[in-house]
Amino acid sequence: MPAITTGFKQDLTLDTEQITNHVNWLVDNSCAGIVANGTLGEATSLSFDEKIQVLQTCISAIGDRVPVISGIGAMTTKQAVALAEKAASIGCSGLMVLPPYQYSTDWYEMKAHVATVIATTELPCMLYNDPSAYGTDFLPEQIAELAEEHCNLCVVKEATTDVRRITAIRALLGDRLSIAVGMDDVLVEGVAAGATSWVAGTANALPRESVLLFNYAIQGNNDKAFKLYKWMMPLMRLNAVPKFVQMTKLMQETVGRGNTVVRPPRLELEGTELQTALDIIKTALSQRPEILKTEQ
């Protein structure tokens, strides 16, 4: 399930035509869902109304072909609840619940925030655990506590990059909670540890390749998985740096599927940084493994 980027026009307004074309292309290439308004989607730079517009655009574009899942992130619990309620009312199939923006706190307060959002909806919810981005680390015991109290908490997106977390969550919860790999460059290891889905960034530029890699990993086809993984790793690591939004949009532009426009304070890449990233992308694309030529 790609965590999609948000397309902007040169004047920094939403480019709904680009978003429509993008999500259709992803689904045409067998992606199993669309996750909008996440970190990669520059959600912190979107207004409430713009977030709803992105969701409506995605839903109108792909209908019921695959689920559309909305990131639920906000400065306050009240704002997050309002966004969750609106996302449900316009037809989203699930919610990805984030910690509050700009506030890292203890478990007592953090649990109150995410539990309030989860309890406000009957939609299935995914808890997003990315301590490097949000300063909050949902420990396995805390995730188990939430899962026990909220039957609609169905998935945790694990983005700590520590695959031992997946093992620990499974040890506590068994099959009660599904685990999604939340960082691209631990996909194969995460699946081996028990993850059953992937909220992917690199898929924005390489959806078919990402789906193939995920399927190989799930099927235990290790030889094919590691051949493809080795090739994709330099590109995946561009999605694991501070300027991952700019890097992902650059990959999209390079393959002819978007542009590099981002909203400040993010700025487009330039100079040596841009050239280095382009060299990595173009080198990888020129060395596509034979497996991609033989399998659809």
Side-chain angles (χ1 to χ4, degrees):
M1 299 184 291
I4 62 166
T5 55
T6 299
F8 298 119
K9 299 177 182 178
Q10 292 297 323
D11 64 1
L12 302 183
T13 58
L14 289 179
D15 190 340
T16 55
E17 181 178 359
Q18 192 273 330
I19 295 170
T20 295
N21 292 337
H22 186 51
V23 295
N24 271 310
W25 178 63
L26 295 174
V27 177
D28 288 345
N29 279 277
S30 301
C31 292
I34 297 296
V35 181
N37 293 337
T39 313
L40 186 56
E42 298 176 72
T44 54
S45 72
L46 301 177
S47 69
F48 184 96
D49 289 343
E50 286 175 327
K51 290 178 181 179
I52 300 306
Q53 188 177 3
V54 169
L55 297 175
Q56 290 173 323
T57 300
C58 293
I59 293 167
S60 296
I62 60 179
D64 59 0
R65 295 173 67 193
V66 301
V68 173
I69 299 166
S70 175
I72 304 296
M75 294 288 287
T76 68
T77 304
K78 181 179 179 180
Q79 291 170 349
V81 166
L83 181 59
E85 291 174 340
K86 186 64 175 179
S89 72
I90 64 172
C92 285
S93 299
L95 308 177
M96 182 175 70
V97 182
L98 284 71
Y101 297 150
Q102 296 185 354
Y103 187 60
S104 177
T105 182
D106 57 22
W107 173 232
Y108 172 72
E109 290 187 327
M110 191 57 64
K111 179 185 177 183
H113 174 81
V114 297
T116 299
V117 177
I118 294 168
T120 199
T121 182
E122 295 181 355
L123 290 178
C125 291
M126 175 192 304
L127 182 68
Y128 183 10
N129 188 32
D130 187 351
S132 66
Y134 295 100
T136 294
D137 189 359
F138 294 107
L139 301 177
E141 295 79 9
Q142 296 167 347
I143 293 168
E145 189 176 325
L146 284 170
E148 182 178 352
E149 297 174 9
H150 300 277
C151 61
N152 63 323
L153 177 59
C154 302
V155 186
V156 57
K157 177 184 173 183
E158 240 305 312
T160 62
T161 73
D162 183 355
V163 294
R164 295 172 297 179
R165 289 296 188 90
I166 295 173
T167 305
I169 295 168
R170 291 187 67 211
L172 288 172
L173 290 166
D175 295 330
R176 161 64 184 86
L177 201 68
S178 298
I179 302 171
V181 174
M183 292 291 282
D184 288 3
D185 59 352
V186 291
L187 182 274
V188 173
E189 299 91 330
V191 169
T196 56
S197 59
W198 177 20
V199 180
T202 312
N204 280 281
L206 299 171
R208 185 176 76 88
E209 296 85 347
S210 297
V211 170
L212 273 176
L213 176 61
F214 177 75
N215 288 342
Y216 290 150
I218 284 288
Q219 294 160 6
N221 194 332
N222 294 329
D223 183 56
K224 288 184 176 180
F226 277 102
K227 285 180 180 177
L228 190 50
Y229 200 31
K230 180 180 178 181
W231 172 71
M232 289 183 69
M233 188 60 70
L235 302 175
M236 288 176 155
R237 286 180 174 155
L238 293 178
N239 195 251
V241 298
K243 294 184 181 180
F244 66 100
V245 175
Q246 293 94 320
M247 295 293 184
T248 302
K249 285 191 167 183
L250 180 63
M251 281 190 272
Q252 284 182 235
E253 184 180 72
T254 304
V255 300
R257 290 292 173 172
N259 61 45
T260 58
V261 179
V262 290
R263 277 186 174 172
R266 291 183 176 89
L267 299 174
E268 295 183 45
L269 303 173
E270 60 181 25
T272 302
E273 190 174 35
L274 171 61
Q275 192 56 55
T276 299
L278 277 174
D279 288 346
I280 292 171
I281 296 167
K282 291 180 178 180
T283 297
L285 294 177
S286 70
Q287 297 173 350
R288 298 172 70 86
E290 191 66 28
I291 194 172
L292 294 174
K293 302 174 185 178
T294 59
E295 299 207 24
Q296 299 298 318

